Amino acid sequence: MGKTGVEVTRRSFLKTAAGAAATAGIAGTGLAIGRGTGEAAALPVPKKWDKQADVVIIGTGYTGLVAALVAREQKLSVLVLDKMDVVGGNSVIAGGGANAADPVRQKRQGIEDSPDLHFKHTFEGGDMINDPEKVRYMVDHALEDCVNYLERLGVVWPEKVVRGYGSLYERTHYVGSYKDKAGRSWRFGAANIRALMDKMDEIGQPVLMGHEVTGIIREKPLEGRVLGVEVKAGGKKLYFRAKRGVILASGGFGANIEWVVKHDRRLAHTDTSNHKGATGECIKFAEDLGADTLHMDYIQAIPYEVKAPFKGMFFEIDGEEIRKVSASMPYRIFVNKDGKRFVDEGQRRDVIKFAGCAQPLFEPLPMAKADTIEELEEKIRLPKGSLVEAVRKYNAACEAKKDEEFSKNPTILVPLKTGPFTAICKAIKRHHTMGGLLVKGTTGEVIDRWGREIPGLYAAGEVTGGTHGANRLGHNGTVDCMVFGQLCARTVAKVKPL
Ligand SMILES: Cc1cc2nc3c(=O)[nH]c(=O)nc-3n(C[C@H](O)[C@H](O)[C@H](O)COP(=O)(O)OP(=O)(O)OC[C@H]3O[C@@H](n4cnc5c(N)ncnc54)[C@H](O)[C@@H]3O)c2cc1C
């Protein structure tokens, strides 16, 4: 323990041969975004198509896989493509937690909740710039289309919900686990992806890995129906026709430093938690067809274990009492290099991002473990007595159920009394891009810069904007993908085939 779930998952993922392949790298797409570059970069309609299906889905994260499964339930033929060699994008390295008002679990814990309260928290947590229609649709379908859907595929959620990091309320299902047919156990986002992929295998739906979409084809540059996609695979250029529609499930752009810097210069010197393929080029391809975007400047960055050449910003301290309650970050304490707490650890992610970035930087140290706080303080080279004093004050706050210093919510005040204690050196890393394509919240249709739906083009998950507003509540990401991936598939099923 002592590590957040997401980090454990990411680390173990990167250890695998598959993970190594995923880090092989995808060329950045540069800055030639359609808007502001004048003429749209139109792709000609090919004379011959290499493959065709009712729906072409780009991406094998939660969004793409669930869209494929639901499209197949609707009796559609499906092509699923991914440019990487490994399935799962950011989803497979994610924590995989999911927020949903859950009458059964929450009732047992005496927690009052409802989709309305989930809406309020998501909307207020996003500074009310979120698309209310989209948020409404998400919270109303969160339990059924995310938590219960994955449960039906065999994902086992814990009996208790917790306040997942950044979720700001006790409605997080964290974390799911899954046992595959060979008896192997999976946790975190990898559990969700394995369960989705096992279902894909069961219905005989392949995914085409190493297939990079390099453009979207439309009847005319800014008019008419989207017809398919241009693909690069095995050194060849191929054309895949979509008889009913193309679903973009291609994720965010957190790994595209050029785009990040363009939208939020403050993150220029940060590392990312994202997989190498999170470069966002499908946003550009859609913009070439006139698609609009929103909230591109809102880039979430959160604490992660840090290693040189990046600098440390603070230490995350954990103890036995906390580990017994939750593996989630808000229950721990953060201290800077002076041994002082500097923020309510249960706060919104953007608050923690700015507070973390404001701390003096230092050379990172490896994770430390000690039986006493004094020993831990020495191991991580904090000023003598500083951590002891910070922990003394914090334990007093836990006792009094009142954090005078930072007003941390009393429900997550758990003392640090029993060792072993651990300290992990952390820094803020680019984590999630809240902006993306503008879509209609009740259909998933991509909207152009003139407010019109682009016929045949749909998008869901991190490639879209509007769900999270200025600040994504932790664990609304999985739900966003699972809910809107399904919605896109249902919308496409209603389209008359070409
Ligand atoms: C480390 C980490 C931990 C997280 N933990 C949580 C959590 O616990 N709870 C939560 O709610 N959210 C979490 N998130 C956020 C959430 O998991 C992601 O937003 C979500 O997984 C994105 O899913 P997606 O389907 O939209 O995209 P992805 O899962 O990223 O999938 C997109 C896929 O599209 C492919 N692709 C992209 N461009 C192309 C192209 N041109 N051609 C072909 N393929 C392409 C990519 O290779 C990728 O495989 C986490 C994110 C990270 C990075």
Side-chain angles (χ1 to χ4, degrees):
M1 281 271 233
K3 302 163 197 157
T4 59
V6 289
E7 287 161 352
V8 172
T9 317
R10 180 172 169 76
R11 203 174 294 124
S12 44
F13 169 79
L14 290 175
K15 267 190 205 153
T16 63
T23 59
I26 294 290
T29 53
L31 289 168
I33 301 175
R35 184 202 298 242
T37 59
E39 287 301 301
L43 286 179
V45 179
K47 290 197 176 66
K48 176 181 151 290
W49 296 94
D50 296 284
K51 283 183 193 289
Q52 65 167 356
D54 286 315
V55 52
V56 175
I57 299 172
I58 303 164
T60 60
Y62 302 137
T63 316
L65 296 181
V66 80
L69 290 173
V70 172
R72 285 289 306 272
E73 277 168 25
Q74 308 284 320
K75 314 280 179 233
L76 305 186
S77 56
V78 175
L79 283 167
V80 186
L81 326 178
D82 199 304
K83 66 185 176 185
M84 305 303 280
D85 296 328
V86 181
V87 166
N90 274 347
S91 305
V92 78
I93 56 169
N99 295 332
D102 181 335
V104 177
R105 287 180 179 83
Q106 286 174 317
K107 193 168 177 210
R108 275 202 301 259
Q109 290 171 250
I111 300 163
E112 285 285 324
D113 203 8
S114 61
D116 284 351
L117 197 58
H118 190 184
F119 178 93
K120 180 176 153 55
H121 291 158
T122 302
F123 200 53
E124 289 177 358
D127 287 341
M128 296 188 279
I129 64 166
N130 328 43
D131 172 353
E133 188 177 56
K134 210 175 171 206
V135 179
R136 187 75 249 173
Y137 190 91
M138 181 183 82
V139 299
D140 285 346
H141 294 81
L143 184 67
E144 185 49 30
D145 287 357
C146 183
V147 174
N148 292 350
Y149 186 94
L150 287 167
E151 204 163 52
R152 284 196 292 277
L153 295 188
V155 171
V156 178
W157 298 106
E159 286 297 298
K160 278 188 171 178
V161 295
V162 293
R163 176 183 285 242
Y165 162 57
S167 76
L168 309 182
Y169 201 69
E170 286 77 9
R171 69 164 68 87
T172 311
H173 300 72
Y174 188 81
V175 303
S177 52
Y178 176 74
K179 205 167 244 183
D180 65 22
K181 286 200 185 83
R184 282 172 305 180
S185 295
W186 303 81
R187 291 190 78 203
F188 307 107
N192 302 337
I193 288 292
R194 191 64 258 164
L196 288 160
M197 275 304 288
D198 279 356
K199 187 69 188 173
M200 296 277 281
D201 289 346
E202 189 188 308
I203 63 166
Q205 175 61 52
V207 292
L208 302 173
M209 303 308 293
H211 282 61
E212 183 184 354
V213 169
T214 48
I216 306 170
I217 297 154
R218 192 176 183 182
E219 284 172 328
K220 288 188 187 163
L222 300 174
E223 295 286 339
R225 177 97 167 247
V226 164
L227 302 173
V229 292
E230 181 189 80
V231 179
K232 207 168 79 189
K236 285 194 189 141
K237 198 183 268 189
L238 303 169
Y239 295 96
F240 291 180
R241 182 168 183 252
K243 289 191 284 175
R244 294 176 195 248
V246 170
I247 299 179
L248 299 178
S250 45
F253 60 93
N256 185 337
I257 188 67
E258 286 171 272
W259 281 23
V260 167
V261 172
K262 178 171 185 274
H263 291 287
D264 188 349
R265 182 157 290 282
R266 293 166 297 187
L267 296 173
H269 303 293
T270 54
D271 193 3
T272 183
S273 65
N274 285 196
H275 83 121
K276 285 277 192 291
T279 43
E281 62 275 15
C282 289
I283 298 176
K284 175 196 173 299
F285 303 148
E287 285 188 305
D288 288 344
L289 309 179
D292 206 353
T293 58
L294 77 167
H295 302 161
M296 294 289 281
D297 294 349
Y298 293 95
I299 297 169
Q300 186 159 77
I302 67 166
Y304 263 92
E305 186 166 4
V306 66
K307 293 200 169 66
F310 296 95
K311 302 274 192 219
M313 293 177 183
F314 55 91
F315 292 97
E316 182 188 283
I317 315 288
D318 198 7
E320 188 58 18
E321 286 82 3
I322 297 175
R323 284 191 291 270
K324 277 189 182 146
V325 176
S326 175
S328 181
M329 211 162 1
Y331 293 82
R332 302 177 191 153
I333 68 164
F334 301 161
V335 293
N336 64 14
K337 86 177 205 345
D338 299 325
K340 293 200 165 87
R341 275 181 78 214
F342 56 90
V343 72
D344 161 9
E345 297 84 354
Q347 256 291 359
R348 283 167 49 140
R349 289 178 164 190
D350 53 350
V351 172
I352 292 186
K353 162 180 158 179
F354 292 121
C357 287
Q359 301 313 304
L361 300 177
F362 57 91
E363 294 304 325
L365 296 171
M367 180 184 152
K369 199 172 184 182
D371 289 331
T372 66
I373 292 290
E374 286 83 352
E375 207 189 315
L376 191 70
E377 178 187 279
E378 204 181 318
K379 276 193 173 168
I380 58 176
R381 301 179 205 155
L382 297 184
K384 197 168 171 35
S386 59
L387 184 62
V388 172
E389 177 56 11
V391 169
R392 187 196 62 75
K393 270 198 208 157
Y394 188 73
N395 286 348
C398 296
E399 186 94 356
K401 293 201 177 345
K402 191 166 172 51
D403 176 17
E404 299 280 2
E405 276 186 301
F406 298 104
S407 306
K408 186 163 170 173
N409 189 305
T411 62
I412 51 171
L413 284 173
V414 182
L416 285 146
K417 287 187 175 161
T418 315
F421 301 100
T422 58
I424 302 177
C425 188
K426 295 226 154 171
I428 299 296
K429 289 190 187 178
R430 308 184 307 273
H431 185 62
H432 183 273
T433 46
M434 288 158 299
L437 295 169
L438 178 68
V439 295
K440 190 163 163 53
T442 49
T443 60
E445 291 159 292
V446 176
I447 306 297
D448 75 10
R449 296 194 279 279
W450 300 271
R452 305 169 305 194
E453 293 91 11
I454 300 180
L457 190 61
Y458 309 87
E462 201 176 329
V463 72
T464 67
T467 307
H468 310 293
N471 170 65
R472 174 173 70 93
L473 293 193
H475 307 285
N476 268 354
T478 312
V479 181
D480 182 34
C481 297
M482 291 294 297
V483 167
F484 291 109
Q486 300 194 37
L487 176 65
C488 282
R490 293 197 187 97
T491 304
V492 175
K494 292 182 198 141
V495 174
K496 209 165 147 258
L498 290 169

